[in-house]
Amino acid sequence: MLKKELTFALNYALNKGFQIHPNAFRILENVDVKKLEKIIREIVREKTKQKLFQINQDDLETYLGMKEDQNLQSDYQILSDPTLKITSGEGVKGYNALFSSRFNKLKRIISDRPESKMLKSIASVKAAKSEEDMYVCGLVTTRNIDRNITKVVLEDPSGIFEGIVFDGELQKTAAGLLIDQFIMVRVSMGKNAGFIIKDLVLPDIPDQATNRSETETFAVFLSDLHIGSKYFMEEEFAEFIAWLSSPDPVARKIRFVLIGGDVVDGVGIYPNQDKELICQTIQEQLKKLEELLDRIPKCIKIFIMPGNHDPGRRALPQPAIPKKYNDSLWDRENVFMVGNPAMVSLNGVKVLMFHGQSIDDIVKTTPGLSYDNPVNVMRHLLKARHLSPIYGSQTPIAPEMEDLLVIDEIPDIFHVGHVHRAQLDMYKGILLVNSGSWQKQTPFQASVGMTPNPGIALMVNLKTFQVFHENYNSNLDNILQS
Ligand code: D5M
Ligand code: FE
Ligand code: ZN
């Protein structure tokens, strides 16, 4: 049934002898009802003057400012993508290469710090027996809290270092250390020949100027659609996609859509998954994705990254979703398939996209972190300058020759998903975006007490970094905490 305001507006035009083209009608259906009457009156007045008695799509697009703004920049560059770099070294040799790459890359990153001039190898510090403070660095292998003492064990290529933290404040930092992350420590010899850790230095993000777009182009951040799942909010997602073509002033400035993984629910990802699927094959799921994405205006560039539910390979880094599952998506001129993690530049703004599998391992082992505040975990990753430090837990990591999960290049926006909680924050000038999900709470999530806030689209003005959102979840009022 037509809304009464729309019927009124149509009758007004018809009574003045006008015809309305079906395309124009489609646009009118999406216009804010409060503005309908004014729009129609003005178009009728103008066209009557011109003695043209049909209202077509062009009239409305011109009137509503829906015509593509040609001055709005939409330059992109894929700055890094693991897809073509993936080699997969084999066996123990591969892991040695991976960890030595991690150590060397992070040592280079920390070498910008003044203290690093005093860095010595673990073997030489152990041999020195010096009275002075010394610096060593390495990957954390143990972090044990026992009463009021924290023991930290580090490893570098020369050996293993064990030190004790006594200081109260420093113990808090030590409690937040992630296993296998890189750190630098200031140490001195204790009375009984053990080492005392006097300072812990993380690679972290330096104070820095961040990049901005010259024009007010907007980007949308999405993830975890889980297409194919019974719980995928197809209607709400389709409504959001339709909004992208609406006359809304923000929608008119969107030129980028980023999808941070779990685009489909996949097949055989967890036991008895088939009972929770409405599309039983990957091909069918990706076909549905294609149909939905095809409704997005072609001036919008779409970047698709895989997550743990998508096909390709499970271990990080993941290659882009292979072409064999849906080559027409690959062939779209406005669609770019990238691996996980990837760095893309949007009008010069560098966005680091990472699905976020490692959050599960970090939340489990780090006091004070939870699924409700994924941005806090994201801050930990930036401080560690690594996307998935913990090795050997739930997140599978492949034995690559180069550790592609080190955060070499500092992003302007850090885009993560996976935990199904939309949330925003800032850290050292970097905008942190967790893009939530478009899947309702699953029985599994309910059983472990995970409360997602699905159906929210987060959007960023790439010139000002102002953030907007569209909420398609009728159950959520107060949705964003930051
Ligand atoms: O994961 C969405 C969230 O739910 C993510 O934080 C992991 C958690 N999750 C989902 N399934 C499991 C199982 N089987 N064990 C532990 N944690 C789980 P998604 O990647 O969307 O499935
Ligand atoms: Fe997910
Ligand atoms: Zn996931």
Side-chain angles (χ1 to χ4, degrees), residues 72-103:
L72 212 53
Q73 244 186 301
S74 65
D75 300 334
Y76 80 95
Q77 228 181 322
I78 294 166
L79 298 174
S80 78
D81 176 352
T83 308
L84 297 174
K85 288 192 198 161
I86 286 170
T87 54
S88 223
E90 288 293 321
V92 175
K93 188 163 169 271
Y95 287 106
N96 285 340
L98 177 77
F99 281 106
S100 107
S101 163
R102 177 181 299 191
F103 177 83

PDB file of all heavy atoms in Angstrom, residues 72-103:
ATOM      1  N   LEU A  72      33.822  14.601  -6.300  1.00  0.00           N
ATOM      2  CA  LEU A  72      34.113  13.766  -5.149  1.00  0.00           C
ATOM      3  C   LEU A  72      35.148  12.719  -5.561  1.00  0.00           C
ATOM      4  O   LEU A  72      34.894  11.882  -6.409  1.00  0.00           O
ATOM      5  CB  LEU A  72      32.812  13.091  -4.697  1.00  0.00           C
ATOM      6  CG  LEU A  72      32.648  12.822  -3.218  1.00  0.00           C
ATOM      7  CD1 LEU A  72      32.872  14.060  -2.371  1.00  0.00           C
ATOM      8  CD2 LEU A  72      31.258  12.260  -2.961  1.00  0.00           C
ATOM      9  N   GLN A  73      36.331  12.813  -4.916  1.00  0.00           N
ATOM     10  CA  GLN A  73      37.429  11.909  -5.255  1.00  0.00           C
ATOM     11  C   GLN A  73      37.113  10.481  -4.817  1.00  0.00           C
ATOM     12  O   GLN A  73      36.519  10.289  -3.746  1.00  0.00           O
ATOM     13  CB  GLN A  73      38.608  12.343  -4.412  1.00  0.00           C
ATOM     14  CG  GLN A  73      39.827  12.856  -5.131  1.00  0.00           C
ATOM     15  CD  GLN A  73      40.900  13.072  -4.078  1.00  0.00           C
ATOM     16  OE1 GLN A  73      40.706  13.845  -3.144  1.00  0.00           O
ATOM     17  NE2 GLN A  73      42.030  12.399  -4.260  1.00  0.00           N
ATOM     18  N   SER A  74      37.517   9.490  -5.610  1.00  0.00           N
ATOM     19  CA  SER A  74      37.413   8.105  -5.137  1.00  0.00           C
ATOM     20  C   SER A  74      38.592   7.293  -5.646  1.00  0.00           C
ATOM     21  O   SER A  74      38.455   6.309  -6.344  1.00  0.00           O
ATOM     22  CB  SER A  74      36.090   7.476  -5.549  1.00  0.00           C
ATOM     23  OG  SER A  74      36.003   7.370  -6.947  1.00  0.00           O
ATOM     24  N   ASP A  75      39.794   7.758  -5.261  1.00  0.00           N
ATOM     25  CA  ASP A  75      41.027   7.071  -5.676  1.00  0.00           C
ATOM     26  C   ASP A  75      41.335   5.965  -4.686  1.00  0.00           C
ATOM     27  O   ASP A  75      41.196   6.151  -3.482  1.00  0.00           O
ATOM     28  CB  ASP A  75      42.212   8.048  -5.663  1.00  0.00           C
ATOM     29  CG  ASP A  75      41.970   9.209  -6.604  1.00  0.00           C
ATOM     30  OD1 ASP A  75      41.212   9.027  -7.573  1.00  0.00           O
ATOM     31  OD2 ASP A  75      42.512  10.302  -6.341  1.00  0.00           O
ATOM     32  N   TYR A  76      41.788   4.844  -5.210  1.00  0.00           N
ATOM     33  CA  TYR A  76      42.140   3.769  -4.293  1.00  0.00           C
ATOM     34  C   TYR A  76      43.450   3.149  -4.732  1.00  0.00           C
ATOM     35  O   TYR A  76      43.866   3.296  -5.884  1.00  0.00           O
ATOM     36  CB  TYR A  76      41.053   2.687  -4.291  1.00  0.00           C
ATOM     37  CG  TYR A  76      41.195   1.775  -5.479  1.00  0.00           C
ATOM     38  CD1 TYR A  76      41.892   0.569  -5.369  1.00  0.00           C
ATOM     39  CD2 TYR A  76      40.709   2.156  -6.722  1.00  0.00           C
ATOM     40  CE1 TYR A  76      42.075  -0.246  -6.477  1.00  0.00           C
ATOM     41  CE2 TYR A  76      40.891   1.345  -7.827  1.00  0.00           C
ATOM     42  CZ  TYR A  76      41.577   0.145  -7.698  1.00  0.00           C
ATOM     43  OH  TYR A  76      41.778  -0.647  -8.783  1.00  0.00           O
ATOM     44  N   GLN A  77      44.070   2.489  -3.769  1.00  0.00           N
ATOM     45  CA  GLN A  77      45.284   1.739  -4.063  1.00  0.00           C
ATOM     46  C   GLN A  77      45.320   0.570  -3.092  1.00  0.00           C
ATOM     47  O   GLN A  77      44.993   0.763  -1.913  1.00  0.00           O
ATOM     48  CB  GLN A  77      46.490   2.632  -3.779  1.00  0.00           C
ATOM     49  CG  GLN A  77      47.511   2.667  -4.868  1.00  0.00           C
ATOM     50  CD  GLN A  77      48.663   3.561  -4.453  1.00  0.00           C
ATOM     51  OE1 GLN A  77      48.486   4.601  -3.823  1.00  0.00           O
ATOM     52  NE2 GLN A  77      49.867   3.126  -4.784  1.00  0.00           N
ATOM     53  N   ILE A  78      45.657  -0.616  -3.570  1.00  0.00           N
ATOM     54  CA  ILE A  78      45.824  -1.729  -2.637  1.00  0.00           C
ATOM     55  C   ILE A  78      47.291  -1.738  -2.247  1.00  0.00           C
ATOM     56  O   ILE A  78      48.158  -2.051  -3.058  1.00  0.00           O
ATOM     57  CB  ILE A  78      45.348  -3.050  -3.268  1.00  0.00           C
ATOM     58  CG1 ILE A  78      43.825  -2.946  -3.479  1.00  0.00           C
ATOM     59  CG2 ILE A  78      45.686  -4.254  -2.374  1.00  0.00           C
ATOM     60  CD1 ILE A  78      43.225  -3.992  -4.370  1.00  0.00           C
ATOM     61  N   LEU A  79      47.580  -1.292  -1.029  1.00  0.00           N
ATOM     62  CA  LEU A  79      48.968  -1.095  -0.616  1.00  0.00           C
ATOM     63  C   LEU A  79      49.628  -2.408  -0.213  1.00  0.00           C
ATOM     64  O   LEU A  79      50.805  -2.601  -0.442  1.00  0.00           O
ATOM     65  CB  LEU A  79      49.052  -0.098   0.549  1.00  0.00           C
ATOM     66  CG  LEU A  79      48.546   1.309   0.251  1.00  0.00           C
ATOM     67  CD1 LEU A  79      48.552   2.155   1.516  1.00  0.00           C
ATOM     68  CD2 LEU A  79      49.402   1.985  -0.826  1.00  0.00           C
ATOM     69  N   SER A  80      48.861  -3.287   0.431  1.00  0.00           N
ATOM     70  CA  SER A  80      49.430  -4.614   0.688  1.00  0.00           C
ATOM     71  C   SER A  80      48.325  -5.642   0.759  1.00  0.00           C
ATOM     72  O   SER A  80      47.228  -5.364   1.224  1.00  0.00           O
ATOM     73  CB  SER A  80      50.302  -4.621   1.938  1.00  0.00           C
ATOM     74  OG  SER A  80      49.521  -4.661   3.080  1.00  0.00           O
ATOM     75  N   ASP A  81      48.649  -6.806   0.225  1.00  0.00           N
ATOM     76  CA  ASP A  81      47.685  -7.889   0.122  1.00  0.00           C
ATOM     77  C   ASP A  81      48.501  -9.180   0.151  1.00  0.00           C
ATOM     78  O   ASP A  81      49.419  -9.342  -0.659  1.00  0.00           O
ATOM     79  CB  ASP A  81      46.937  -7.746  -1.214  1.00  0.00           C
ATOM     80  CG  ASP A  81      45.957  -8.892  -1.462  1.00  0.00           C
ATOM     81  OD1 ASP A  81      45.949  -9.871  -0.696  1.00  0.00           O
ATOM     82  OD2 ASP A  81      45.213  -8.806  -2.460  1.00  0.00           O
ATOM     83  N   PRO A  82      48.218 -10.077   1.094  1.00  0.00           N
ATOM     84  CA  PRO A  82      49.057 -11.280   1.203  1.00  0.00           C
ATOM     85  C   PRO A  82      48.839 -12.287   0.074  1.00  0.00           C
ATOM     86  O   PRO A  82      49.658 -13.188  -0.109  1.00  0.00           O
ATOM     87  CB  PRO A  82      48.611 -11.881   2.539  1.00  0.00           C
ATOM     88  CG  PRO A  82      47.209 -11.416   2.727  1.00  0.00           C
ATOM     89  CD  PRO A  82      47.126 -10.063   2.071  1.00  0.00           C
ATOM     90  N   THR A  83      47.755 -12.139  -0.695  1.00  0.00           N
ATOM     91  CA  THR A  83      47.353 -13.191  -1.639  1.00  0.00           C
ATOM     92  C   THR A  83      48.509 -13.734  -2.477  1.00  0.00           C
ATOM     93  O   THR A  83      48.704 -14.944  -2.564  1.00  0.00           O
ATOM     94  CB  THR A  83      46.221 -12.688  -2.555  1.00  0.00           C
ATOM     95  OG1 THR A  83      45.189 -12.161  -1.721  1.00  0.00           O
ATOM     96  CG2 THR A  83      45.656 -13.805  -3.410  1.00  0.00           C
ATOM     97  N   LEU A  84      49.286 -12.835  -3.069  1.00  0.00           N
ATOM     98  CA  LEU A  84      50.340 -13.319  -3.964  1.00  0.00           C
ATOM     99  C   LEU A  84      51.652 -13.602  -3.245  1.00  0.00           C
ATOM    100  O   LEU A  84      52.589 -14.155  -3.813  1.00  0.00           O
ATOM    101  CB  LEU A  84      50.555 -12.318  -5.102  1.00  0.00           C
ATOM    102  CG  LEU A  84      49.315 -12.144  -6.002  1.00  0.00           C
ATOM    103  CD1 LEU A  84      49.515 -11.043  -7.017  1.00  0.00           C
ATOM    104  CD2 LEU A  84      48.955 -13.465  -6.683  1.00  0.00           C
ATOM    105  N   LYS A  85      51.718 -13.219  -1.960  1.00  0.00           N
ATOM    106  CA  LYS A  85      52.967 -13.421  -1.215  1.00  0.00           C
ATOM    107  C   LYS A  85      52.979 -14.753  -0.486  1.00  0.00           C
ATOM    108  O   LYS A  85      54.005 -15.174   0.025  1.00  0.00           O
ATOM    109  CB  LYS A  85      53.124 -12.321  -0.170  1.00  0.00           C
ATOM    110  CG  LYS A  85      53.458 -10.958  -0.740  1.00  0.00           C
ATOM    111  CD  LYS A  85      53.875 -10.061   0.413  1.00  0.00           C
ATOM    112  CE  LYS A  85      53.812  -8.604   0.032  1.00  0.00           C
ATOM    113  NZ  LYS A  85      53.766  -7.760   1.232  1.00  0.00           N
ATOM    114  N   ILE A  86      51.820 -15.381  -0.398  1.00  0.00           N
ATOM    115  CA  ILE A  86      51.712 -16.596   0.399  1.00  0.00           C
ATOM    116  C   ILE A  86      52.519 -17.734  -0.233  1.00  0.00           C
ATOM    117  O   ILE A  86      52.342 -18.068  -1.389  1.00  0.00           O
ATOM    118  CB  ILE A  86      50.229 -16.982   0.592  1.00  0.00           C
ATOM    119  CG1 ILE A  86      49.599 -16.024   1.600  1.00  0.00           C
ATOM    120  CG2 ILE A  86      50.089 -18.425   1.053  1.00  0.00           C
ATOM    121  CD1 ILE A  86      48.102 -16.128   1.707  1.00  0.00           C
ATOM    122  N   THR A  87      53.466 -18.275   0.565  1.00  0.00           N
ATOM    123  CA  THR A  87      54.344 -19.315   0.050  1.00  0.00           C
ATOM    124  C   THR A  87      54.133 -20.603   0.812  1.00  0.00           C
ATOM    125  O   THR A  87      54.239 -21.683   0.287  1.00  0.00           O
ATOM    126  CB  THR A  87      55.817 -18.916   0.250  1.00  0.00           C
ATOM    127  OG1 THR A  87      55.986 -18.600   1.648  1.00  0.00           O
ATOM    128  CG2 THR A  87      56.186 -17.729  -0.594  1.00  0.00           C
ATOM    129  N   SER A  88      53.863 -20.440   2.128  1.00  0.00           N
ATOM    130  CA  SER A  88      53.731 -21.572   3.035  1.00  0.00           C
ATOM    131  C   SER A  88      54.987 -22.422   3.088  1.00  0.00           C
ATOM    132  O   SER A  88      55.107 -23.439   2.424  1.00  0.00           O
ATOM    133  CB  SER A  88      52.518 -22.414   2.657  1.00  0.00           C
ATOM    134  OG  SER A  88      51.849 -22.755   3.835  1.00  0.00           O
ATOM    135  N   GLY A  89      55.906 -21.998   3.920  1.00  0.00           N
ATOM    136  CA  GLY A  89      57.066 -22.815   4.268  1.00  0.00           C
ATOM    137  C   GLY A  89      56.541 -24.026   4.999  1.00  0.00           C
ATOM    138  O   GLY A  89      55.438 -24.013   5.487  1.00  0.00           O
ATOM    139  N   GLU A  90      57.319 -25.091   5.036  1.00  0.00           N
ATOM    140  CA  GLU A  90      56.795 -26.319   5.635  1.00  0.00           C
ATOM    141  C   GLU A  90      57.489 -26.656   6.937  1.00  0.00           C
ATOM    142  O   GLU A  90      58.660 -26.370   7.126  1.00  0.00           O
ATOM    143  CB  GLU A  90      56.959 -27.494   4.652  1.00  0.00           C
ATOM    144  CG  GLU A  90      56.006 -27.437   3.469  1.00  0.00           C
ATOM    145  CD  GLU A  90      54.532 -27.624   3.871  1.00  0.00           C
ATOM    146  OE1 GLU A  90      54.269 -28.445   4.755  1.00  0.00           O
ATOM    147  OE2 GLU A  90      53.682 -26.930   3.296  1.00  0.00           O
ATOM    148  N   GLY A  91      56.752 -27.249   7.845  1.00  0.00           N
ATOM    149  CA  GLY A  91      57.302 -27.851   9.056  1.00  0.00           C
ATOM    150  C   GLY A  91      58.028 -26.880   9.965  1.00  0.00           C
ATOM    151  O   GLY A  91      57.819 -25.679   9.914  1.00  0.00           O
ATOM    152  N   VAL A  92      58.917 -27.434  10.784  1.00  0.00           N
ATOM    153  CA  VAL A  92      59.597 -26.657  11.816  1.00  0.00           C
ATOM    154  C   VAL A  92      60.444 -25.545  11.214  1.00  0.00           C
ATOM    155  O   VAL A  92      60.526 -24.451  11.727  1.00  0.00           O
ATOM    156  CB  VAL A  92      60.485 -27.598  12.673  1.00  0.00           C
ATOM    157  CG1 VAL A  92      61.305 -26.803  13.667  1.00  0.00           C
ATOM    158  CG2 VAL A  92      59.617 -28.626  13.385  1.00  0.00           C
ATOM    159  N   LYS A  93      61.064 -25.837  10.089  1.00  0.00           N
ATOM    160  CA  LYS A  93      61.903 -24.847   9.429  1.00  0.00           C
ATOM    161  C   LYS A  93      61.080 -23.591   9.116  1.00  0.00           C
ATOM    162  O   LYS A  93      61.524 -22.474   9.319  1.00  0.00           O
ATOM    163  CB  LYS A  93      62.452 -25.444   8.134  1.00  0.00           C
ATOM    164  CG  LYS A  93      63.481 -24.595   7.447  1.00  0.00           C
ATOM    165  CD  LYS A  93      64.280 -25.400   6.436  1.00  0.00           C
ATOM    166  CE  LYS A  93      65.109 -24.487   5.576  1.00  0.00           C
ATOM    167  NZ  LYS A  93      64.382 -24.028   4.383  1.00  0.00           N
ATOM    168  N   GLY A  94      59.837 -23.833   8.672  1.00  0.00           N
ATOM    169  CA  GLY A  94      58.948 -22.729   8.365  1.00  0.00           C
ATOM    170  C   GLY A  94      58.672 -21.873   9.581  1.00  0.00           C
ATOM    171  O   GLY A  94      58.735 -20.654   9.500  1.00  0.00           O
ATOM    172  N   TYR A  95      58.412 -22.502  10.706  1.00  0.00           N
ATOM    173  CA  TYR A  95      58.109 -21.710  11.893  1.00  0.00           C
ATOM    174  C   TYR A  95      59.324 -20.954  12.393  1.00  0.00           C
ATOM    175  O   TYR A  95      59.202 -19.839  12.887  1.00  0.00           O
ATOM    176  CB  TYR A  95      57.457 -22.573  12.975  1.00  0.00           C
ATOM    177  CG  TYR A  95      56.043 -22.895  12.585  1.00  0.00           C
ATOM    178  CD1 TYR A  95      55.671 -24.149  12.130  1.00  0.00           C
ATOM    179  CD2 TYR A  95      55.075 -21.881  12.606  1.00  0.00           C
ATOM    180  CE1 TYR A  95      54.376 -24.409  11.728  1.00  0.00           C
ATOM    181  CE2 TYR A  95      53.774 -22.133  12.208  1.00  0.00           C
ATOM    182  CZ  TYR A  95      53.425 -23.402  11.762  1.00  0.00           C
ATOM    183  OH  TYR A  95      52.149 -23.644  11.358  1.00  0.00           O
ATOM    184  N   ASN A  96      60.532 -21.570  12.263  1.00  0.00           N
ATOM    185  CA  ASN A  96      61.733 -20.819  12.644  1.00  0.00           C
ATOM    186  C   ASN A  96      61.860 -19.572  11.801  1.00  0.00           C
ATOM    187  O   ASN A  96      62.153 -18.495  12.315  1.00  0.00           O
ATOM    188  CB  ASN A  96      62.990 -21.683  12.454  1.00  0.00           C
ATOM    189  CG  ASN A  96      63.103 -22.719  13.561  1.00  0.00           C
ATOM    190  OD1 ASN A  96      62.481 -22.556  14.618  1.00  0.00           O
ATOM    191  ND2 ASN A  96      63.874 -23.774  13.323  1.00  0.00           N
ATOM    192  N   ALA A  97      61.620 -19.710  10.507  1.00  0.00           N
ATOM    193  CA  ALA A  97      61.723 -18.558   9.610  1.00  0.00           C
ATOM    194  C   ALA A  97      60.677 -17.511   9.984  1.00  0.00           C
ATOM    195  O   ALA A  97      60.965 -16.318  10.027  1.00  0.00           O
ATOM    196  CB  ALA A  97      61.528 -19.010   8.162  1.00  0.00           C
ATOM    197  N   LEU A  98      59.473 -17.961  10.291  1.00  0.00           N
ATOM    198  CA  LEU A  98      58.399 -17.032  10.651  1.00  0.00           C
ATOM    199  C   LEU A  98      58.761 -16.229  11.894  1.00  0.00           C
ATOM    200  O   LEU A  98      58.662 -15.002  11.902  1.00  0.00           O
ATOM    201  CB  LEU A  98      57.106 -17.821  10.903  1.00  0.00           C
ATOM    202  CG  LEU A  98      55.904 -16.987  11.366  1.00  0.00           C
ATOM    203  CD1 LEU A  98      55.304 -16.235  10.186  1.00  0.00           C
ATOM    204  CD2 LEU A  98      54.834 -17.865  12.014  1.00  0.00           C
ATOM    205  N   PHE A  99      59.232 -16.922  12.939  1.00  0.00           N
ATOM    206  CA  PHE A  99      59.552 -16.203  14.178  1.00  0.00           C
ATOM    207  C   PHE A  99      60.790 -15.330  14.027  1.00  0.00           C
ATOM    208  O   PHE A  99      60.870 -14.276  14.633  1.00  0.00           O
ATOM    209  CB  PHE A  99      59.678 -17.171  15.356  1.00  0.00           C
ATOM    210  CG  PHE A  99      58.325 -17.578  15.867  1.00  0.00           C
ATOM    211  CD1 PHE A  99      57.803 -18.835  15.627  1.00  0.00           C
ATOM    212  CD2 PHE A  99      57.551 -16.652  16.568  1.00  0.00           C
ATOM    213  CE1 PHE A  99      56.542 -19.187  16.081  1.00  0.00           C
ATOM    214  CE2 PHE A  99      56.282 -16.996  17.024  1.00  0.00           C
ATOM    215  CZ  PHE A  99      55.776 -18.264  16.781  1.00  0.00           C
ATOM    216  N   SER A 100      61.730 -15.763  13.203  1.00  0.00           N
ATOM    217  CA  SER A 100      62.904 -14.899  13.039  1.00  0.00           C
ATOM    218  C   SER A 100      62.520 -13.671  12.212  1.00  0.00           C
ATOM    219  O   SER A 100      62.991 -12.565  12.488  1.00  0.00           O
ATOM    220  CB  SER A 100      64.090 -15.708  12.519  1.00  0.00           C
ATOM    221  OG  SER A 100      64.349 -15.419  11.197  1.00  0.00           O
ATOM    222  N   SER A 101      61.590 -13.826  11.277  1.00  0.00           N
ATOM    223  CA  SER A 101      61.096 -12.657  10.546  1.00  0.00           C
ATOM    224  C   SER A 101      60.347 -11.713  11.495  1.00  0.00           C
ATOM    225  O   SER A 101      60.535 -10.492  11.459  1.00  0.00           O
ATOM    226  CB  SER A 101      60.173 -13.108   9.407  1.00  0.00           C
ATOM    227  OG  SER A 101      59.392 -12.047   8.946  1.00  0.00           O
ATOM    228  N   ARG A 102      59.515 -12.282  12.373  1.00  0.00           N
ATOM    229  CA  ARG A 102      58.781 -11.455  13.343  1.00  0.00           C
ATOM    230  C   ARG A 102      59.759 -10.662  14.209  1.00  0.00           C
ATOM    231  O   ARG A 102      59.614  -9.449  14.370  1.00  0.00           O
ATOM    232  CB  ARG A 102      57.906 -12.348  14.232  1.00  0.00           C
ATOM    233  CG  ARG A 102      57.185 -11.555  15.305  1.00  0.00           C
ATOM    234  CD  ARG A 102      56.342 -12.431  16.212  1.00  0.00           C
ATOM    235  NE  ARG A 102      55.304 -13.146  15.475  1.00  0.00           N
ATOM    236  CZ  ARG A 102      54.288 -13.815  16.062  1.00  0.00           C
ATOM    237  NH1 ARG A 102      54.181 -13.817  17.379  1.00  0.00           N
ATOM    238  NH2 ARG A 102      53.396 -14.454  15.348  1.00  0.00           N
ATOM    239  N   PHE A 103      60.777 -11.364  14.743  1.00  0.00           N
ATOM    240  CA  PHE A 103      61.756 -10.702  15.608  1.00  0.00           C
ATOM    241  C   PHE A 103      62.478  -9.574  14.869  1.00  0.00           C
ATOM    242  O   PHE A 103      62.574  -8.453  15.358  1.00  0.00           O
ATOM    243  CB  PHE A 103      62.753 -11.759  16.128  1.00  0.00           C
ATOM    244  CG  PHE A 103      63.848 -11.178  16.972  1.00  0.00           C
ATOM    245  CD1 PHE A 103      63.638 -10.929  18.323  1.00  0.00           C
ATOM    246  CD2 PHE A 103      65.082 -10.865  16.418  1.00  0.00           C
ATOM    247  CE1 PHE A 103      64.645 -10.366  19.110  1.00  0.00           C
ATOM    248  CE2 PHE A 103      66.097 -10.305  17.193  1.00  0.00           C
ATOM    249  CZ  PHE A 103      65.875 -10.058  18.542  1.00  0.00           C
TER     250      PHE A 103
END
